[in-house]
Amino acid sequence: MNKLLKYEFRATLRLYLPLYLVMLGFAVLGRFSLWGVPWKVTVQEDLVGWTNLSVSVAGTGVGNEVLAILLNIVLTGNVLVLLGAMVVHFIITLQRFWKNLMGDEGYLMFTLPVSTGELLWSKAICAFVWGVVTALMVLLSVLVLAWHPQLVQAVKQELSTIAPEEWQLILQMLHSVLPPVMWLILVAEAVISGVGGLFLLYSAMAIGHTVKNHKVLASVGAYGIISMVLGTAASLLMNLLLPLMAGIPQDIQLNSLSDLLLFSYQIGRFMTGIWLVALVIDLLSAIGGFLLARHLLNTQLNLE
Amino acid sequence: MERSEVKRDGPALECRQLSKIYGAVRALDQVDLTIRRGRIVGLLGPNGSGKTTLIKTAAGLLSPSAGELLVCGQRPSAATKGLVSYLPERTYLNDWMRVEDILSMFRDFYRDFDLQKAEEMLFRLDIHRLDRLRTMSKGTREKVQLILVMSRKAELYLLDEPIGGVDPAAREFILSTIIGNYSEEATVVISTHLIRDVEQVLDDVVFLGYGHVGLAAPVEELREEKGKSIDELFREIYRC
């Protein structure tokens, strides 16, 4: 398994490295374009009391309007690159399975003395790790792009208006809504639904591969059907398990601070229940996806 | 019944009522065949006779439609793949790799891979460790593939059309590489329709035509019995 992972990471690194370089390159380019522009950060409070920070080009006149257009182009370009990165990650994930296992390279992969389960796990673990790294790179690109002293100053200033006792209340509410166990559940859910989603993709491609003609179309169709079936099963399970696992919030009059805290606690309990049910459902579908893909590749493999 | 034990003394390859059906085509039709250990076997047949299907089923790349195929007494599995050295009729190497990458991959996955032997053979062909597979000609890539496959000390070598589509000089290199490198106790199955070129190295032949085994016997026995070369016999049986 470790050997498979080593080769899978090595094979994919040469695809992801240029992608990340392009992402960071665009972010740095965007940042320098933005640095040259005289900025203006506007702080506005809306009707509900939320604070909005907006960034625009300082000053007026034709020159500034041109700058504003350029600024928009740079920002739109960056957003497209970041969205593109996620699309490229998805395409690499599909291609690594399709080309490396279902294509000519499969002649080597399926004659290695490893089990089909190990092949599937190595592909899924590698794709999941790259998914996380790609998401982090998107975040880093946004930070590189948006980190500006004026903006940081405005955020700091806004935060400093919150009094210490208000901070305490916010933290208490956050703790009630997101108790420590919830964080654990969220991390587990992210991993299980991420890897499970990959197994479902692999199952769909394995189903598509059993068809003689139009294998890609058959794979897309199979994925649609799997998603529909799972969606229905998930909503049935959710309805069945939710009353058992999640405490439904009571009708509370929010007249005092303690009412607010009680409400936050109930919301936290309810959300924990929902995520726990989601975790169970995703775990079942991940196991199902893995077993289906493994079964198809073990018994229906036809590399032609 | 699931067989889990690899047999070191039984037949190298066994087919029992093995069928493989593609839509309306029966590529293999209830094939019964036993290939003994320590033999060089020619799997001979015209194009589309089921040779590649049989070899790919033994390598674990195709699932039988009916019947069963056993490699060293076991159905194709991770364990049998460790015993089988398979040369496909196409290039399966990742073209972004360098020669040293594919060498280390074979060394990592196959315990029976002899790195030194592979390096010596590559050196004789003037192929360097840092050469990229992408930049090689199709013929050179096929030679690299053959060297990788023959540098293993496998129990069963499955060589699918190793001399198909190459010039006579390359054919000579390929056959001498096969004969000079397989381990004596091992079984070698060579599928081809170029019978004249391989006839002299074969111990046994299996004639496969239209999904059926037409004949399976030792070469010497056939020559003596029929008074003909294997090539002549094949032409007689599968005359169009």
PDB file of all heavy atoms in Angstrom, chain A residues 42-54 158-159 161-162 170 173-174:
ATOM      1  N   THR A  42     -13.862  51.053   2.827  1.00  0.00           N
ATOM      2  CA  THR A  42     -15.060  51.677   3.395  1.00  0.00           C
ATOM      3  C   THR A  42     -15.676  50.725   4.416  1.00  0.00           C
ATOM      4  O   THR A  42     -15.855  49.535   4.131  1.00  0.00           O
ATOM      5  CB  THR A  42     -16.094  51.953   2.292  1.00  0.00           C
ATOM      6  OG1 THR A  42     -15.380  52.422   1.145  1.00  0.00           O
ATOM      7  CG2 THR A  42     -17.108  52.981   2.714  1.00  0.00           C
ATOM      8  N   VAL A  43     -15.981  51.270   5.596  1.00  0.00           N
ATOM      9  CA  VAL A  43     -16.629  50.474   6.633  1.00  0.00           C
ATOM     10  C   VAL A  43     -18.073  50.960   6.747  1.00  0.00           C
ATOM     11  O   VAL A  43     -18.320  52.148   6.940  1.00  0.00           O
ATOM     12  CB  VAL A  43     -15.912  50.636   7.987  1.00  0.00           C
ATOM     13  CG1 VAL A  43     -16.536  49.740   9.046  1.00  0.00           C
ATOM     14  CG2 VAL A  43     -14.437  50.334   7.836  1.00  0.00           C
ATOM     15  N   GLN A  44     -19.016  50.032   6.605  1.00  0.00           N
ATOM     16  CA  GLN A  44     -20.435  50.422   6.646  1.00  0.00           C
ATOM     17  C   GLN A  44     -21.196  49.471   7.545  1.00  0.00           C
ATOM     18  O   GLN A  44     -20.916  48.273   7.564  1.00  0.00           O
ATOM     19  CB  GLN A  44     -21.020  50.313   5.237  1.00  0.00           C
ATOM     20  CG  GLN A  44     -20.995  51.624   4.481  1.00  0.00           C
ATOM     21  CD  GLN A  44     -21.685  51.459   3.139  1.00  0.00           C
ATOM     22  OE1 GLN A  44     -21.677  50.378   2.577  1.00  0.00           O
ATOM     23  NE2 GLN A  44     -22.279  52.526   2.664  1.00  0.00           N
ATOM     24  N   GLU A  45     -22.153  50.013   8.281  1.00  0.00           N
ATOM     25  CA  GLU A  45     -22.996  49.133   9.095  1.00  0.00           C
ATOM     26  C   GLU A  45     -24.351  49.041   8.427  1.00  0.00           C
ATOM     27  O   GLU A  45     -24.923  50.061   8.042  1.00  0.00           O
ATOM     28  CB  GLU A  45     -23.127  49.701  10.509  1.00  0.00           C
ATOM     29  CG  GLU A  45     -22.482  48.782  11.521  1.00  0.00           C
ATOM     30  CD  GLU A  45     -22.624  49.236  12.937  1.00  0.00           C
ATOM     31  OE1 GLU A  45     -23.764  49.522  13.331  1.00  0.00           O
ATOM     32  OE2 GLU A  45     -21.596  49.307  13.623  1.00  0.00           O
ATOM     33  N   ASP A  46     -24.841  47.803   8.258  1.00  0.00           N
ATOM     34  CA  ASP A  46     -26.151  47.701   7.604  1.00  0.00           C
ATOM     35  C   ASP A  46     -27.261  47.724   8.648  1.00  0.00           C
ATOM     36  O   ASP A  46     -27.013  47.889   9.850  1.00  0.00           O
ATOM     37  CB  ASP A  46     -26.207  46.472   6.697  1.00  0.00           C
ATOM     38  CG  ASP A  46     -26.083  45.171   7.465  1.00  0.00           C
ATOM     39  OD1 ASP A  46     -26.229  45.226   8.698  1.00  0.00           O
ATOM     40  OD2 ASP A  46     -25.818  44.133   6.840  1.00  0.00           O
ATOM     41  N   LEU A  47     -28.485  47.511   8.202  1.00  0.00           N
ATOM     42  CA  LEU A  47     -29.649  47.674   9.077  1.00  0.00           C
ATOM     43  C   LEU A  47     -29.652  46.710  10.263  1.00  0.00           C
ATOM     44  O   LEU A  47     -30.062  47.045  11.365  1.00  0.00           O
ATOM     45  CB  LEU A  47     -30.931  47.475   8.258  1.00  0.00           C
ATOM     46  CG  LEU A  47     -31.218  48.601   7.241  1.00  0.00           C
ATOM     47  CD1 LEU A  47     -32.405  48.211   6.361  1.00  0.00           C
ATOM     48  CD2 LEU A  47     -31.500  49.915   7.963  1.00  0.00           C
ATOM     49  N   VAL A  48     -29.163  45.470  10.022  1.00  0.00           N
ATOM     50  CA  VAL A  48     -29.192  44.466  11.095  1.00  0.00           C
ATOM     51  C   VAL A  48     -28.021  44.647  12.059  1.00  0.00           C
ATOM     52  O   VAL A  48     -27.963  44.011  13.107  1.00  0.00           O
ATOM     53  CB  VAL A  48     -29.144  43.038  10.502  1.00  0.00           C
ATOM     54  CG1 VAL A  48     -29.879  42.052  11.388  1.00  0.00           C
ATOM     55  CG2 VAL A  48     -29.663  42.994   9.090  1.00  0.00           C
ATOM     56  N   GLY A  49     -27.088  45.490  11.701  1.00  0.00           N
ATOM     57  CA  GLY A  49     -25.952  45.712  12.591  1.00  0.00           C
ATOM     58  C   GLY A  49     -24.679  45.043  12.127  1.00  0.00           C
ATOM     59  O   GLY A  49     -23.650  45.116  12.786  1.00  0.00           O
ATOM     60  N   TRP A  50     -24.725  44.319  10.983  1.00  0.00           N
ATOM     61  CA  TRP A  50     -23.515  43.695  10.457  1.00  0.00           C
ATOM     62  C   TRP A  50     -22.602  44.784   9.889  1.00  0.00           C
ATOM     63  O   TRP A  50     -23.063  45.779   9.339  1.00  0.00           O
ATOM     64  CB  TRP A  50     -23.841  42.705   9.335  1.00  0.00           C
ATOM     65  CG  TRP A  50     -24.470  41.437   9.825  1.00  0.00           C
ATOM     66  CD1 TRP A  50     -25.780  41.145   9.820  1.00  0.00           C
ATOM     67  CD2 TRP A  50     -23.800  40.327  10.394  1.00  0.00           C
ATOM     68  NE1 TRP A  50     -26.007  39.917  10.344  1.00  0.00           N
ATOM     69  CE2 TRP A  50     -24.794  39.376  10.713  1.00  0.00           C
ATOM     70  CE3 TRP A  50     -22.472  40.028  10.691  1.00  0.00           C
ATOM     71  CZ2 TRP A  50     -24.509  38.159  11.295  1.00  0.00           C
ATOM     72  CZ3 TRP A  50     -22.184  38.798  11.256  1.00  0.00           C
ATOM     73  CH2 TRP A  50     -23.188  37.875  11.565  1.00  0.00           C
ATOM     74  N   THR A  51     -21.312  44.566  10.016  1.00  0.00           N
ATOM     75  CA  THR A  51     -20.366  45.531   9.451  1.00  0.00           C
ATOM     76  C   THR A  51     -19.866  45.023   8.100  1.00  0.00           C
ATOM     77  O   THR A  51     -19.455  43.869   7.988  1.00  0.00           O
ATOM     78  CB  THR A  51     -19.166  45.699  10.403  1.00  0.00           C
ATOM     79  OG1 THR A  51     -19.691  46.087  11.661  1.00  0.00           O
ATOM     80  CG2 THR A  51     -18.215  46.763   9.899  1.00  0.00           C
ATOM     81  N   ASN A  52     -19.959  45.880   7.109  1.00  0.00           N
ATOM     82  CA  ASN A  52     -19.466  45.503   5.778  1.00  0.00           C
ATOM     83  C   ASN A  52     -18.197  46.277   5.465  1.00  0.00           C
ATOM     84  O   ASN A  52     -18.141  47.491   5.643  1.00  0.00           O
ATOM     85  CB  ASN A  52     -20.505  45.841   4.710  1.00  0.00           C
ATOM     86  CG  ASN A  52     -21.729  44.964   4.843  1.00  0.00           C
ATOM     87  OD1 ASN A  52     -21.636  43.832   5.275  1.00  0.00           O
ATOM     88  ND2 ASN A  52     -22.885  45.524   4.502  1.00  0.00           N
ATOM     89  N   LEU A  53     -17.196  45.555   5.002  1.00  0.00           N
ATOM     90  CA  LEU A  53     -15.964  46.214   4.557  1.00  0.00           C
ATOM     91  C   LEU A  53     -15.939  46.133   3.032  1.00  0.00           C
ATOM     92  O   LEU A  53     -16.142  45.065   2.469  1.00  0.00           O
ATOM     93  CB  LEU A  53     -14.737  45.480   5.100  1.00  0.00           C
ATOM     94  CG  LEU A  53     -14.477  45.563   6.601  1.00  0.00           C
ATOM     95  CD1 LEU A  53     -13.287  44.694   6.978  1.00  0.00           C
ATOM     96  CD2 LEU A  53     -14.192  46.996   7.004  1.00  0.00           C
ATOM     97  N   SER A  54     -15.743  47.282   2.383  1.00  0.00           N
ATOM     98  CA  SER A  54     -15.630  47.196   0.937  1.00  0.00           C
ATOM     99  C   SER A  54     -14.372  47.920   0.478  1.00  0.00           C
ATOM    100  O   SER A  54     -13.945  48.894   1.098  1.00  0.00           O
ATOM    101  CB  SER A  54     -16.871  47.752   0.261  1.00  0.00           C
ATOM    102  OG  SER A  54     -17.023  49.097   0.623  1.00  0.00           O
ATOM    103  N   GLU A 158     -12.307  47.348  13.751  1.00  0.00           N
ATOM    104  CA  GLU A 158     -13.684  46.892  13.933  1.00  0.00           C
ATOM    105  C   GLU A 158     -13.766  45.930  15.117  1.00  0.00           C
ATOM    106  O   GLU A 158     -14.675  46.004  15.933  1.00  0.00           O
ATOM    107  CB  GLU A 158     -14.150  46.214  12.642  1.00  0.00           C
ATOM    108  CG  GLU A 158     -15.632  45.969  12.545  1.00  0.00           C
ATOM    109  CD  GLU A 158     -16.468  47.224  12.733  1.00  0.00           C
ATOM    110  OE1 GLU A 158     -16.043  48.340  12.314  1.00  0.00           O
ATOM    111  OE2 GLU A 158     -17.534  47.096  13.352  1.00  0.00           O
ATOM    112  N   LEU A 159     -12.751  45.036  15.204  1.00  0.00           N
ATOM    113  CA  LEU A 159     -12.751  44.046  16.283  1.00  0.00           C
ATOM    114  C   LEU A 159     -12.536  44.711  17.645  1.00  0.00           C
ATOM    115  O   LEU A 159     -13.057  44.256  18.663  1.00  0.00           O
ATOM    116  CB  LEU A 159     -11.670  42.984  16.039  1.00  0.00           C
ATOM    117  CG  LEU A 159     -11.936  42.015  14.883  1.00  0.00           C
ATOM    118  CD1 LEU A 159     -10.769  41.052  14.717  1.00  0.00           C
ATOM    119  CD2 LEU A 159     -13.218  41.224  15.112  1.00  0.00           C
ATOM    120  N   THR A 161     -13.737  47.316  18.731  1.00  0.00           N
ATOM    121  CA  THR A 161     -14.944  47.953  19.279  1.00  0.00           C
ATOM    122  C   THR A 161     -15.759  46.978  20.135  1.00  0.00           C
ATOM    123  O   THR A 161     -16.675  47.381  20.832  1.00  0.00           O
ATOM    124  CB  THR A 161     -15.840  48.479  18.141  1.00  0.00           C
ATOM    125  OG1 THR A 161     -16.183  47.362  17.327  1.00  0.00           O
ATOM    126  CG2 THR A 161     -15.155  49.550  17.321  1.00  0.00           C
ATOM    127  N   ILE A 162     -15.405  45.662  20.036  1.00  0.00           N
ATOM    128  CA  ILE A 162     -16.147  44.677  20.839  1.00  0.00           C
ATOM    129  C   ILE A 162     -15.564  44.656  22.263  1.00  0.00           C
ATOM    130  O   ILE A 162     -14.367  44.482  22.448  1.00  0.00           O
ATOM    131  CB  ILE A 162     -16.046  43.271  20.201  1.00  0.00           C
ATOM    132  CG1 ILE A 162     -16.592  43.318  18.757  1.00  0.00           C
ATOM    133  CG2 ILE A 162     -16.794  42.235  21.019  1.00  0.00           C
ATOM    134  CD1 ILE A 162     -16.329  42.071  17.956  1.00  0.00           C
ATOM    135  N   ILE A 170     -19.609  35.924  23.207  1.00  0.00           N
ATOM    136  CA  ILE A 170     -19.464  35.336  21.864  1.00  0.00           C
ATOM    137  C   ILE A 170     -18.803  33.962  21.959  1.00  0.00           C
ATOM    138  O   ILE A 170     -19.260  32.985  21.357  1.00  0.00           O
ATOM    139  CB  ILE A 170     -18.636  36.281  20.950  1.00  0.00           C
ATOM    140  CG1 ILE A 170     -19.452  37.520  20.606  1.00  0.00           C
ATOM    141  CG2 ILE A 170     -18.207  35.560  19.669  1.00  0.00           C
ATOM    142  CD1 ILE A 170     -18.678  38.615  19.915  1.00  0.00           C
ATOM    143  N   MET A 173     -21.178  31.415  23.424  1.00  0.00           N
ATOM    144  CA  MET A 173     -22.174  30.992  22.435  1.00  0.00           C
ATOM    145  C   MET A 173     -21.549  30.064  21.397  1.00  0.00           C
ATOM    146  O   MET A 173     -22.141  29.054  21.006  1.00  0.00           O
ATOM    147  CB  MET A 173     -22.790  32.210  21.733  1.00  0.00           C
ATOM    148  CG  MET A 173     -23.849  32.878  22.591  1.00  0.00           C
ATOM    149  SD  MET A 173     -24.400  34.427  21.880  1.00  0.00           S
ATOM    150  CE  MET A 173     -25.136  33.890  20.375  1.00  0.00           C
ATOM    151  N   LEU A 174     -20.325  30.403  20.991  1.00  0.00           N
ATOM    152  CA  LEU A 174     -19.613  29.584  20.006  1.00  0.00           C
ATOM    153  C   LEU A 174     -19.376  28.179  20.570  1.00  0.00           C
ATOM    154  O   LEU A 174     -19.550  27.171  19.886  1.00  0.00           O
ATOM    155  CB  LEU A 174     -18.266  30.252  19.674  1.00  0.00           C
ATOM    156  CG  LEU A 174     -17.574  29.739  18.426  1.00  0.00           C
ATOM    157  CD1 LEU A 174     -18.357  30.134  17.184  1.00  0.00           C
ATOM    158  CD2 LEU A 174     -16.154  30.291  18.322  1.00  0.00           C
TER     159      LEU A 174
END
